[in-house]
Amino acid sequence: GQNIDQPTEMTATEGAIVQINCTYQTSGFNGLFWYQQHAGEAPTFLSYNVLDGLEEKGRFSSFLSRSKGYSYLLLKELQMKDSASYLCAVKGDTGFQKLVFGTGTRLLVSP
Amino acid sequence: DAMVIQNPRYQVTQFGKPVTLSCSQTLNHNVMYWYQQKSSQAPKLLFHYYDKDFNNEADTPDNFQSRRPNTSFCFLDIRSPGLGDAAMYLCATSRAGGNQETQYFGPGTRLLVL
């Protein structure tokens, strides 16, 4: 089966650092995506990992360990506008770009 | 700007009354997807088009159908909407064969069934 696990909700303070974890069990692995989704809006692409290690992009970084079926999204210097849901999605079997999404982690950033 | 466009943003329909949601893209991507997303849930893939090839997910109800008349446009038809079909419907596109094949989403259409 296919399973993606993320914490349901997290809270953090403006200016802080937060790490959102994602564990997955999928049939095959061809990459892991993180998307940001503000309430009532469409998901927007944040990052992509296919090899083990850390990918850094400004205030956001994403890490992958394929052997552990584990990824995290690291958000630094949190801003109020970072309050959103963060979706972890895995591209499983080869041949087609089907994504399996987690239910998302709702992040609330407070002043 | 290249983008994925969905119209309308909000759609109200009556129980059992057919409704069509629209998606267009200027990205020239060859794959288009329709997802259903209910509150606090993950997006659920309904079907996708790889060029003109239609692919239905096994658990997509027969009530949902799709058309892709050309590369740029894709439609979601709900033949007889039920109350349980009220959700956000997301259209996405990607370019097959690329290294990353990121999916790009439109702003979504929120469907309300009365």
Side-chain angles (χ1 to χ4, degrees):
Chain A
Q2 317 261 56
N3 195 45
I4 312 273
D5 285 316
Q6 305 178 235
T8 305
E9 200 167 280
M10 298 182 72
T11 58
T13 307
E14 201 172 12
I17 299 173
V18 72
Q19 178 175 310
I20 303 174
N21 295 324
C22 171
T23 57
Y24 62 90
Q25 299 96 37
T26 57
S27 53
F29 179 84
N30 285 284
L32 185 144
F33 295 80
W34 283 96
Y35 283 84
Q36 180 191 61
Q37 188 176 26
H38 285 99
E41 298 183 12
T44 55
F45 169 71
L46 288 178
S47 69
Y48 171 74
N49 295 71
V50 68
L51 299 176
D52 290 350
L54 189 68
E55 295 280 342
E56 296 187 77
K57 196 186 287 187
R59 293 190 299 115
F60 293 4
S61 303
S62 56
F63 172 82
L64 175 68
S65 168
R66 287 172 297 171
S67 62
K68 295 181 179 177
Y70 167 70
S71 173
Y72 67 73
L73 180 69
L74 193 71
L75 292 76
K76 303 175 188 174
E77 300 168 19
L78 280 173
Q79 303 175 9
M80 298 294 288
K81 67 179 182 179
D82 297 329
S83 293
S85 283
Y86 291 86
L87 300 168
C88 173
V90 173
K91 188 164 65 172
D93 296 330
T94 58
F96 168 55
Q97 309 134 68
K98 179 175 177 177
L99 291 181
V100 179
F101 279 90
T103 55
T105 298
R106 195 181 328 161
L107 175 66
L108 178 62
V109 180
S110 56
Chain B
D1 287 341
M3 56 198 312
V4 182
I5 302 159
Q6 290 187 246
N7 286 306
R9 295 293 308 276
Y10 299 89
Q11 176 74 57
V12 181
T13 191
Q14 293 178 331
F15 183 93
K17 185 175 180 181
V19 66
T20 294
L21 309 183
S22 301
C23 177
S24 63
Q25 53 126 344
T26 60
L27 297 163
N28 202 30
H29 284 169
N30 54 350
V31 189
M32 295 187 77
Y33 312 76
W34 279 105
Y35 288 88
Q36 179 193 65
Q37 187 179 28
K38 297 187 176 181
S39 182
S40 301
Q41 295 185 19
K44 177 181 181 299
L45 183 64
L46 296 173
F47 20 62
H48 76 276
Y49 274 94
Y50 191 128
D51 293 321
K52 293 185 179 180
D53 292 334
F54 175 71
N55 296 271
N56 202 34
E57 291 300 297
D59 56 354
T60 297
D62 292 340
N63 199 23
F64 291 83
Q65 305 202 335
S66 183
R67 296 170 282 136
R68 189 180 185 186
N70 54 53
T71 300
S72 301
F73 285 87
C74 196
F75 300 98
L76 171 62
D77 300 309
I78 308 177
R79 285 191 301 187
S80 182
L83 298 179
D85 297 327
M88 174 77 92
Y89 290 88
L90 297 166
C91 173
T93 73
S94 67
R95 179 180 298 282
N99 189 34
Q100 194 166 307
E101 300 176 339
T102 301
Q103 292 186 23
Y104 294 93
F105 286 82
T109 295
R110 185 169 293 281
L111 179 68
L112 180 62
V113 181
L114 300 178

